Amino acid sequence: MRFNTALLAVTAAGTAVADRPANESICDYYTTALLKENNATNQYTLLTLLVNTAVIGNYTQPNVGVMVPGILNPNGTYNNTKVNLVPYFDGGLASTNDGGNMGVAKNFLDGGGAAPLMKNMPADDTTSNQYKLLTHLYQFFGSLLGCSEVGMTGFAAYAGDASMYEVHKFMVLDPLQMGYFIEQVALSAASFGVATSDIEAVGQALGSLFNYRCAPKTTVIKAQGPQYQSVCTDESCPLADNATCAAQPSMSQPLVANATLADGEGRMPSGSATMSMSGGSTGTATMSGGASGTASGASSPSSTFNAASHAAPGLTGVFAALVAFLAL
């Protein structure tokens, strides 16, 4: 089924989309609402549309009128502060965990950049860093949103790195950067007519999972068990309850690998020289790339992740704005 046709149907349905039964996952419900038949292929299509829109901004027409600037917008703002995440993706910063004791530069836009995403594809090949990143994002978010067909033919189960702390630790992201990232996911969902209550649940899920420094191990992907999942690791990030910082040591800010690509976003420690990029273009890890394994250190309590158990710090304004917009 053509997705544009599905969007027209959702737009015409209006508030009917808001009546998701409590016993039906966000993924399953909106797959049916948008694409009519709830199967593995359509669930994967839904996650492709949601993730691609969050990454590059609006590219489907029509939508319900919500503008999505996109994670890869170099002129992003959050809480009236400029945020530019592009250097983490295009090799501007040495921020990817490639298994060593410091970050390296890696290009995650090497599979055609935005062009294939606008065609509802992850990349224009199946071997690039971009392909690995985007397909892992589809799979990870599919599990997070409760897609019942994950692991079936048409929607492979997430098999990327288990610990998001390990993946992202050399990025040293702060609350503004995390807030902007999560805001784009929320806006992407809103642009497809997702109900405000479900947008809040998704935002709270991402915030409670990733936005607290030194958080104890949590199970997100059941097959992978409890893992360290903190992505907000800058010293300005709020400290988690029962913090386990000994097992998740703080890192120095990533070095500039390419001053042109860094575009003024370099977080070089004082006195460090600019690095040259090795092996051609490179970018950074997000929720799926980087080195595998969990942080070493003292053992800690663990839990199973509850998608809507906590409000995400710093996101209250995001959802208030969405509520106001969707009420118009």
Side-chain angles (χ1 to χ4, degrees), residues 15-312:
T15 58
V17 180
D19 300 326
R20 179 174 64 87
N23 63 349
E24 189 171 11
S25 73
I26 289 175
C27 174
D28 284 21
Y29 181 74
Y30 288 101
T31 297
T32 302
L34 289 169
L35 302 174
K36 303 307 180 185
E37 185 176 349
N38 185 26
N39 56 41
T41 300
N42 283 348
Q43 288 182 7
Y44 192 79
T45 297
L46 177 69
L47 268 295
T48 299
L49 292 160
L50 288 172
V51 169
N52 287 11
T53 299
V55 171
I56 63 172
N58 303 99
Y59 70 95
T60 56
Q61 292 294 334
N63 57 54
V64 299
V66 176
M67 187 182 77
V68 186
I71 293 164
L72 294 182
N73 185 334
N75 299 308
T77 59
Y78 187 76
N79 284 357
N80 298 315
T81 303
K82 181 181 178 181
V83 174
N84 180 10
L85 297 177
V86 178
Y88 294 96
F89 292 86
D90 67 3
L93 298 175
S95 55
T96 296
N97 185 353
D98 209 26
N101 59 6
M102 62 184 297
V104 300
K106 186 176 288 187
N107 182 14
F108 283 90
L109 306 179
D110 60 343
L117 274 66
M118 295 178 71
K119 300 175 184 177
N120 299 336
M121 298 164 55
D124 57 15
D125 60 20
T126 59
T127 59
S128 61
N129 295 322
Q130 179 174 325
Y131 178 84
K132 179 181 178 182
L133 167 64
L134 269 296
T135 54
H136 279 182
L137 283 171
Y138 305 155
Q139 295 159 5
F140 188 90
F141 275 92
S143 292
L144 191 68
L145 298 180
C147 293
S148 60
E149 297 296 314
V150 167
M152 302 297 181
T153 301
F155 200 157
Y158 177 73
D161 297 302
S163 168
M164 294 301 104
Y165 164 76
E166 284 293 322
V167 171
H168 297 84
K169 66 181 181 181
F170 295 126
M171 296 173 76
V172 196
L173 297 171
D174 64 33
L176 292 172
Q177 293 168 318
M178 290 300 301
Y180 183 75
F181 180 95
I182 294 173
E183 180 182 63
Q184 300 314 299
V185 176
L187 289 171
S188 175
S191 76
F192 293 117
V194 174
T196 302
S197 58
D198 290 330
I199 293 169
E200 290 175 344
V202 172
Q204 289 170 357
L206 295 175
S208 60
L209 180 60
F210 298 131
N211 272 6
Y212 292 91
R213 182 165 50 91
C214 302
K217 289 183 177 180
T218 300
T219 297
V220 179
I221 307 299
K222 186 176 181 180
Q224 296 180 327
Q227 307 288 339
Y228 293 115
Q229 305 293 1
S230 297
V231 177
C232 193
T233 58
D234 184 80
E235 290 298 320
S236 61
C237 298
L239 190 65
D241 293 336
N242 302 313
T244 58
C245 294
Q248 302 171 80
S250 60
M251 300 291 167
S252 299
Q253 294 288 332
L255 296 174
V256 171
N258 181 304
T260 300
L261 293 176
D263 193 26
E265 295 296 323
R267 295 169 175 262
M268 294 177 58
S270 178
S272 294
T274 302
M275 300 169 58
S276 60
M277 292 177 63
S278 61
S281 58
T282 41
T284 66
T286 70
M287 296 181 183
S288 51
S292 61
T294 59
S296 60
S299 60
S300 63
S302 63
S303 62
T304 299
F305 180 61
N306 182 338
S309 60
H310 297 91

Side-chain angles (χ1 to χ4, degrees), residues 307-319:
S309 60
H310 297 91
L315 291 178
T316 304
V318 175
F319 298 118

